[in-house]
Amino acid sequence: MGILGLSKLIADIAPQAVKEMEIKNYFGRKIAIDASMSLYQFLIAVRSEGAQLVSVDGETTSHLMGTFYRSIRLIENGIKPVYVFDGKPPEMKSHQLNKRAERREEAEKELQKATEAGDQASIEKFNRRLVKVTRHHSEEAKELLKLMGIPVVDAPCEAEAQCAALVKSGKVFAAATEDMDALTFGAPVLLRHLTFSEARKMPVQEFHLDHVLQGLELNHDEFIDLCILLGCDYCGSIRGIGPKRAVELIRQHRTLDNVLRNIDTQKYTPPENWDYELARKLFIEPEVTDPKDIELKWSDPDEEGLVKFLCGDRQFNEERVRNGAKKLARARTGTTQGRLDGFFTITLSPNPKRKAEDDKKNAAKKKAKTSGGGRGRKPK
Amino acid sequence: MFEARLLRSSILKKVLEAIKDLLTQATFDCDDNGIQLQAMDNSHVSLVSLTLRADGFDKYRCDRNISMGMNLGSMSKILKCAGDKDTVTMKAQDNADTVTFVFESPNQEKVSDYEMKLMNLDLEHLGIPETEYSCTIRLPSAEFARICRDLSQFGESMVISCTKEGVKFSATGDIGSANIKLAQTASIDKEEEAVVIEMDEPVTLTFACQYLNYFTKATSLSPQVQLSMSADVPLVVEYRIQDIGHIRYYLAPKIEEDDS
């Protein structure tokens, strides 16, 4: 899932690259949402008394509940969402997927044990671990989104990569996913926690790739190598090299090839048949549909269609569904608030003097830390 | 060394009242010419631009250009500690990370000073092009505040349309609709109470009431307010502050939805 420890690393080394925003600040923005990721979240989180919501036939409807109400919330805030669905996983990921399957099996065993022992807490815990987004879930969600008038994009491969491509092309403002690899794929702006429940009061985190690179003092290719070294979905990483060390190594040697040549491979053994070059290629040229060929169109919701789809067997409350449809329709009428940056040009003018001082301070801190060999976390 | 002294703290107090609801923090850029502040609100819909000229101060000294990032909530708390008739002096050393406010009562019997930590802010500056506006409307600031307040009860947004006949403010919502028309004042006896409209082309634009209500917090700074509008560009709401400068608010209009 994403890049190991990257968000923490960015928060530590390049805090200026992360901004905390409120959801209402994104009015008028088009945002590409990693659908598989949010469906997974909904399956985990949208529950009643610990159990997933189900239809008459016992089929899960948590993902539909989540997709319906959270999308309405986004749209009410003036956001125009686009859902991007995963295609087939790249071959490189099979290893990672096998591992996940193994873990799932383990969880299943644990679940059985817990059920026998009657341990409620563990039952719930392992139940959640068994959650998987199936093709069926995705198809249902797509059908729902179409009825809601929200565009859906089928990525040929990884959804994060497709989101990143959409942002890069300027078709949308940002990619919303919890997976940090959207940055590795080159998405200029990444949003996290966008589809979280309102009740959790989580601010939306906005990552800017250029600020991340600036803060880490790397260019994009070096950043990709760093991500591979940290641990990505496509290949293993070197045991014993943590985030701090990884940044130092990449900053010093600039490419993964040079790092390999310069470290003691006895002590830090790279995995056998380590195909980092292919992983790198996947990040640089992921398999995506050309954004030019994608047309994003928002349309009016189909109220009757929604009622037919959600109520009936799926046991949604008709009144609430109709209300939701009305909210969607209302959000489409009326005007949207413009933004000043659309009229005036922004020139970011950091305070040069202070900046220089800060750099000096940081440098001093860094030195102090390395000489102390400190493993301590950077104080917040 | 930076030092700026105002005989009456009330100006600074009012300025703070006029911006602190819109901005949480801002950078005061000080140079030879005076103090400048430019900042957008969090959602990038509106912008505040404040100018206080050096010659408007009783004493003004700025040896080196200095930018002071301030938390406006904290600054407002400090200014609340000053009496309206107190003299206020802002002081900072070059490269300082604090600013000091000194308040002196008129008879010099009470002197208080407050030191505040500065913040290191990277703020986005907007280049605002010189614009010739199709319409400029001058009206009493209290009148404008009243209109904004009244109309915001009807809807989230307000339409301002300026024609030869006058200017019309309108809002529509669940309870109904409201229209307020102002005609140009025929004879100007008291300049402060006049409504003056200069128009090259009629303009109609829609704005969010919420922001206009933030702007009208500046009402006490000036008896008159000037609105400048052109089609499809942000509205400018300007309050002149007598003898020392002005505060300008820019507000992006609401635009018709498109599906592309």
Side-chain angles (χ1 to χ4, degrees), chain B:
Chain B
M1 175 78 183
F2 167 75
E3 194 176 338
R5 183 180 153 96
L6 273 174
L7 267 188
R8 294 206 135 183
S9 70
S10 58
I11 291 181
L12 206 54
K13 283 174 158 226
K14 287 177 188 165
V15 164
L16 249 278
E17 283 305 307
I19 60 176
K20 78 166 171 41
D21 289 342
L22 214 46
L23 311 169
T24 50
Q25 55 200 33
T27 305
F28 288 74
D29 293 311
C30 311
D31 60 18
D32 265 355
N33 301 315
I35 301 176
Q36 290 266 2
L37 175 155
Q38 196 214 52
M40 277 190 284
D41 73 291
N42 266 339
S43 50
H44 288 198
V45 170
S46 66
L47 175 131
V48 179
S49 162
L50 167 76
T51 301
L52 299 173
R53 291 188 310 271
D55 57 49
F57 290 88
D58 299 294
K59 186 177 166 197
Y60 189 91
R61 176 180 162 198
C62 183
D63 302 339
R64 279 174 62 182
N65 294 359
I66 174 170
S67 290
M68 298 187 287
M70 300 200 203
N71 178 322
L72 297 180
S74 316
M75 185 174 171
S76 163
K77 274 183 196 154
I78 290 176
L79 286 168
K80 285 219 170 90
C81 302
D84 267 356
K85 290 183 177 138
D86 286 3
T87 307
V88 56
T89 312
M90 277 169 78
K91 280 191 219 170
Q93 299 296 328
D94 295 338
N95 286 327
D97 49 13
T98 59
V99 59
T100 305
F101 297 89
V102 183
F103 305 132
E104 293 160 80
S105 65
N107 49 15
Q108 301 283 318
E109 275 165 0
K110 179 180 165 195
V111 178
S112 34
D113 64 277
Y114 296 84
E115 194 179 55
M116 184 175 81
K117 286 194 195 95
L118 292 175
M119 309 167 79
N120 184 11
L121 302 176
D122 279 353
L123 289 179
E124 293 154 326
H125 265 262
L126 282 189
I128 301 165
E130 281 291 318
T131 313
E132 284 286 321
Y133 288 93
S134 320
C135 298
T136 55
I137 305 147
R138 278 205 306 280
L139 71 160
S141 58
E143 185 72 73
F144 182 59
R146 181 72 201 260
I147 290 171
C148 294
R149 202 190 68 200
D150 291 351
L151 288 188
S152 58
Q153 303 180 88
F154 283 82
E156 283 173 14
S157 45
M158 160 193 310
V159 178
I160 306 181
S161 75
C162 185
T163 57
K164 254 205 299 255
E165 283 75 45
V167 54
K168 190 173 85 173
F169 302 87
S170 39
T172 313
D174 291 342
I175 50 171
S177 63
N179 291 291
I180 301 171
K181 278 183 217 150
L182 289 182
Q184 175 134 254
T185 324
S187 63
I188 303 172
D189 295 334
K190 283 187 190 157
E191 206 171 317
E192 290 186 352
E193 289 166 17
V195 176
V196 181
I197 298 169
E198 285 164 31
M199 188 203 81
D200 298 329
E201 262 174 80
V203 177
T204 300
L205 288 172
T206 310
F207 300 101
C209 292
Q210 184 198 358
Y211 287 92
L212 294 171
N213 279 322
Y214 284 139
F215 300 170
T216 56
K217 303 267 192 246
T219 301
S220 61
L221 279 168
S222 172
Q224 282 255 319
V225 58
Q226 177 172 309
L227 315 178
S228 309
M229 300 200 295
S230 279
D232 301 323
V233 301
L235 162 81
V236 190
V237 179
E238 177 177 326
Y239 294 87
R240 296 230 167 101
I241 312 170
Q242 205 183 7
D243 298 330
I244 185 162
H246 61 253
I247 180 161
R248 276 190 200 134
Y249 300 94
Y250 293 81
L251 177 60
K254 290 197 162 191
I255 32 188
E256 288 297 324
E257 194 88 30
D258 62 341
D259 274 338
S260 56

Side-chain angles (χ1 to χ4, degrees), chain A residues 88-157:
Chain A
K88 60 173 190 354
E91 256 166 51
M92 295 284 290
K93 212 172 173 174
S94 59
H95 172 70
Q96 182 74 20
L97 293 177
N98 284 343
K99 245 203 243 165
R100 279 187 210 164
E102 266 168 42
R103 252 182 282 165
R104 189 181 306 278
E105 262 168 47
E106 239 166 73
E108 215 155 326
K109 272 182 216 151
E110 293 284 336
L111 177 66
Q112 254 173 10
K113 253 192 256 167
T115 328
E116 275 162 31
D119 180 352
Q120 270 305 325
S122 311
I123 292 180
E124 207 167 292
K125 184 167 120 196
F126 291 113
N127 231 329
R128 283 183 197 216
R129 259 188 225 175
L130 280 176
V131 167
K132 190 176 179 225
V133 181
T134 62
R135 183 149 291 274
H136 181 62
H137 290 144
S138 302
E139 291 306 325
E140 279 186 322
K142 274 185 216 171
E143 203 177 329
L144 174 63
L145 289 167
K146 276 177 197 149
L147 290 170
M148 293 173 77
I150 298 171
V152 167
V153 173
D154 284 305
C157 196

Side-chain angles (χ1 to χ4, degrees), chain A residues 16 19 21-22 24-25 27 29-30 80 296-299 331-341 343-351 353-355 357-358 361, chain B residues 40 42-47 64-65 67 95-96 118-129 206 208 232-234 250-260:
Chain A
Q16 74 277 15
K19 281 191 224 159
M21 301 287 250
E22 280 176 78
K24 62 171 200 254
N25 289 353
F27 61 82
R29 301 281 203 207
K30 294 171 190 167
K80 294 179 154 191
L296 303 175
K297 197 151 173 56
W298 286 264
S299 49
R332 283 183 49 77
T333 59
T335 50
T336 12
Q337 176 64 55
R339 285 167 187 277
L340 279 180
D341 31 16
F343 296 100
F344 303 146
T345 43
I346 298 188
T347 47
L348 189 73
S349 62
N351 198 329
K353 197 172 54 197
R354 275 169 192 277
K355 196 93 189 173
E357 262 170 49
D358 266 15
K361 264 186 225 160
Chain B
M40 277 190 284
N42 266 339
S43 50
H44 288 198
V45 170
S46 66
L47 175 131
R64 279 174 62 182
N65 294 359
S67 290
N95 286 327
L118 292 175
M119 309 167 79
N120 184 11
L121 302 176
D122 279 353
L123 289 179
E124 293 154 326
H125 265 262
L126 282 189
I128 301 165
T206 310
D232 301 323
V233 301
Y250 293 81
L251 177 60
K254 290 197 162 191
I255 32 188
E256 288 297 324
E257 194 88 30
D258 62 341
D259 274 338
S260 56

